[in-house]
Amino acid sequence: MLLYYKPIQKIHTVVDIPKRAGQIGRDSVHVYLFAERYLEQLMSKLKKSGIVKSIRGAAGGYILARPMEEISVGDILRALEGSLDPVDCPGLLEEGCKSADSCVTKYVWKRINDSINRTVDDIWLSQLVEEGRNTPCDDKDRSQCKN
């Protein structure tokens, strides 16, 4: 998986939930430059993964389903993007491939895959929220402003 702008914006969306009084709703769509329908799709995936839960009613929206100290960037990315492995090497699967026994590159891909997964699993939503609080405001990019 290559990280393009959209997955990074998706992480911003989840980071902003605790910053916005713990809730994100339809009125937040303009902040992320997403269409309302697209934001709903993102939230649906996050809800299915147990990261957010929905609140119904006029003031409804989404809140975190568990403490932000228990939600990793890996959890968020996997919920929204699927596998984080940059290479889908058949040699790493149980059934393997024709060259699996003599292939040395599968060890390279395994280490890369493991490293990426370990890294994103070691970064917590609470850390990103705290980092956001320490980021000075830039008028051109309001998503980085302190609340």
Side-chain angles (χ1 to χ4, degrees), residues 1-128:
M1 179 191 94
L2 296 175
L3 285 181
Y4 294 104
Y5 182 71
K6 285 237 179 191
I8 294 167
Q9 274 299 102
K10 293 173 187 177
I11 293 172
H12 278 288
T13 305
V14 179
V15 169
D16 277 354
I17 293 173
K19 291 167 76 178
R20 294 181 174 279
Q23 186 170 339
I24 190 169
R26 290 183 175 161
D27 60 333
S28 306
V29 171
H30 68 280
V31 175
Y32 309 110
L33 306 175
F34 295 149
E36 184 178 328
R37 185 171 168 215
Y38 184 66
L39 183 61
E40 285 293 329
Q41 289 172 356
L42 295 180
M43 291 298 148
S44 176
K45 289 180 180 181
L46 293 166
K47 183 179 174 185
K48 193 179 220 180
S49 297
I51 294 172
V52 300
K53 57 184 176 181
S54 59
I55 304 295
R56 294 187 159 193
Y62 294 90
I63 60 172
L64 295 177
R66 49 188 208 258
M68 61 182 163
E69 295 81 11
E70 296 176 13
I71 301 171
S72 73
V73 170
D75 295 334
I76 297 166
L77 287 173
R78 280 187 209 90
L80 297 173
E81 299 294 318
S83 173
L84 302 180
D85 296 345
V87 175
D88 206 9
C89 174
L92 297 176
L93 302 175
E94 197 172 304
E95 59 272 4
C97 70
K98 295 176 186 176
S99 308
D101 292 336
S102 60
C103 179
V104 294
T105 59
K106 71 180 180 184
Y107 298 107
V108 173
W109 301 128
K110 179 166 180 17
R111 289 191 61 189
I112 290 170
N113 291 351
D114 291 348
S115 179
I116 289 170
N117 283 288
R118 191 172 37 255
T119 299
V120 295
D121 287 339
D122 286 343
I123 303 171
W124 300 97
L125 181 56
S126 57
Q127 292 172 303
L128 295 181

